[in-house]
Amino acid sequence: MASPEADLPLPEAFTTSTGHGFSEAQYLDRHFLAAEPEYQQMIRSVGFQPGWHILDAGSGGGAFLPLISTIVGATGSLSAIDLAPENVATIQTRIAAGQMACPTDAQVASVTTLPFPDQSLDGVWCANVFQYLTNAELQQALTEFRRVVRPGGLIALKEFDGSVFQFYPPDPLVWWRFVLSLPLPLEERPLLRGLWYHRRLSQLGLVDVWQRCTLIERRAPLRSIERAYMADMLSYLGNRGQHLSEADQRLWQHINAIQEPDHVLNHPDYYWREGAVVAVGRMPAVDAR
Ligand SMILES: C[S@@+](CC[C@H](N)C(=O)[O-])C[C@H]1O[C@@H](n2cnc3c(N)ncnc32)[C@H](O)[C@@H]1O
């Protein structure tokens, strides 16, 4: 499957057998745990109800599944799909270990061709997946979500918001120069796409559409899980600055050198923030397709 990031070399770490960076299950668990209080609140605000059947589309290793399973409860159910077989295997291990509060199944499939009948689900949760799709694939996935959710059901999209991301030190513009250096046309800027999900869901014909960006902020001293997650992220980003000026490349090399005593993560005033966009829409009671 073509990815907007296809022309960028991806470091092996955190990359799945299907070639998606930031997508390996242990990395995803660290990401989830580092922001768990905010994610708890975010998912509870979506509107999923006890007894519902929810699809986690592009579920990774299933970091969000136990939480969603407690929302739908024992009378509800979950289905998970992901393109990477090893992520689906991790979810199956989690199910077997009794981590889900409701019946749960998982299979390999693409968000662009869902293996579910029309109007067979009460809701779809899709987190941090659209950044990997071309515009055409993204539209195909949304059309599939609309096909499988019943009238009155919910479609919820969650994305990292690159317009909000910052860390201190260094100069805040370092991040923006990095974003601008990615050789991608504006419409393909995967880290900024979440800004416009409200419009996408409205155009899909959904009603009661809302969107919110949750700010996830951390300062020194960090919890060890927060530090581990940020070290993952910074080393990954530091490896991708090859289109920058030499001065910025040197800076990112330093940001990549997590083990150095003067690394930004060890700064007494270290600060990190990222934005998590959630956009939610309801299928109209009478579907006008
Ligand atoms: C960044 S991870 C997010 C996983 C999970 N939703 C989370 O937030 O923890 C992106 C996931 O999308 C999956 N993925 C990428 N393209 C996909 C597609 N076309 N269909 C299904 N899954 C896809 C990857 O395999 C990966 O597990």
Side-chain angles (χ1 to χ4, degrees):
M1 178 160 302
S3 156
E5 297 190 334
D7 62 338
L8 298 174
L10 293 168
E12 278 179 25
F14 325 132
T15 300
T16 58
S17 60
T18 43
H20 294 108
F22 287 112
S23 292
E24 176 269 328
Q26 286 184 340
Y27 162 79
L28 293 171
D29 282 352
R30 287 193 287 278
H31 178 210
F32 177 83
L33 291 170
E36 191 172 12
E38 288 87 351
Y39 283 163
Q40 286 254 11
Q41 215 172 8
M42 184 189 303
I43 297 193
R44 290 186 191 286
S45 75
V46 163
F48 294 148
Q49 298 297 315
W52 278 19
H53 181 191
I54 305 296
L55 167 67
D56 186 349
S59 49
F64 284 94
L65 287 172
L67 175 55
I68 304 174
S69 78
T70 63
I71 294 171
V72 299
T75 57
S77 55
L78 290 182
S79 293
I81 61 143
D82 198 89
L83 212 52
E86 67 272 28
N87 280 349
V88 172
T90 301
I91 295 171
Q92 277 155 351
T93 306
R94 286 196 139 125
I95 296 170
Q99 289 185 19
M100 307 302 164
C102 68
T104 304
D105 57 78
Q107 60 182 305
V108 174
S110 173
V111 293
T112 56
T113 330
L114 294 178
F116 300 95
D118 294 2
Q119 302 187 358
S120 59
L121 301 169
D122 299 302
V124 171
W125 167 255
C126 182
N128 307 312
V129 177
F130 281 4
Q131 58 191 275
Y132 300 93
L133 306 184
T134 63
N135 271 334
E137 290 165 343
L138 191 159
Q139 196 52 44
Q140 211 177 328
L142 286 176
T143 306
E144 278 292 85
F145 294 173
R146 189 181 62 176
R147 179 183 67 75
V148 298
V149 174
R150 62 156 172 87
L154 293 173
I155 296 175
L157 312 175
K158 185 265 167 190
E159 205 64 72
F160 176 87
D161 182 342
S163 70
V164 168
F165 179 67
Q166 280 297 341
F167 58 102
Y168 176 89
D171 166 14
L173 294 182
V174 164
W175 168 246
W176 279 107
R177 288 197 294 273
F178 174 84
V179 171
L180 290 169
S181 77
L182 297 176
L184 301 166
L186 186 61
E187 270 297 288
E188 296 285 7
R189 288 193 194 288
L191 300 178
L192 301 179
R193 269 185 169 158
L195 284 167
W196 318 123
Y197 282 174
H198 186 289
R199 176 176 61 90
R200 292 263 187 190
L201 292 183
S202 299
Q203 285 171 345
L204 201 62
L206 300 190
V207 296
D208 303 332
V209 177
W210 58 268
Q211 173 165 339
R212 191 177 303 134
C213 182
T214 297
L215 200 56
I216 298 162
E217 293 182 292
R218 301 288 183 267
R219 287 176 200 282
L222 300 173
R223 288 186 298 141
S224 60
I225 190 69
E226 293 164 348
R227 189 185 164 88
Y229 159 64
M230 290 168 198
D232 287 348
M233 269 280 272
L234 292 175
S235 62
Y236 184 99
L237 293 171
N239 268 314
R240 292 161 61 88
Q242 65 272 37
H243 298 281
L244 288 164
S245 69
E246 275 184 28
D248 268 7
Q249 283 193 39
R250 276 196 300 279
L251 186 59
W252 280 103
Q253 274 161 16
H254 182 61
I255 289 168
N256 192 24
I258 302 293
Q259 65 290 348
E260 294 299 319
D262 64 342
H263 189 269
V264 293
L265 276 172
N266 301 325
H267 194 283
D269 295 323
Y270 175 76
Y271 168 74
W272 171 282
R273 78 172 199 192
E274 67 179 70
V277 170
V278 168
V280 181
R282 185 180 297 281
M283 286 291 291
V286 177
D287 188 1
R289 280 176 288 193

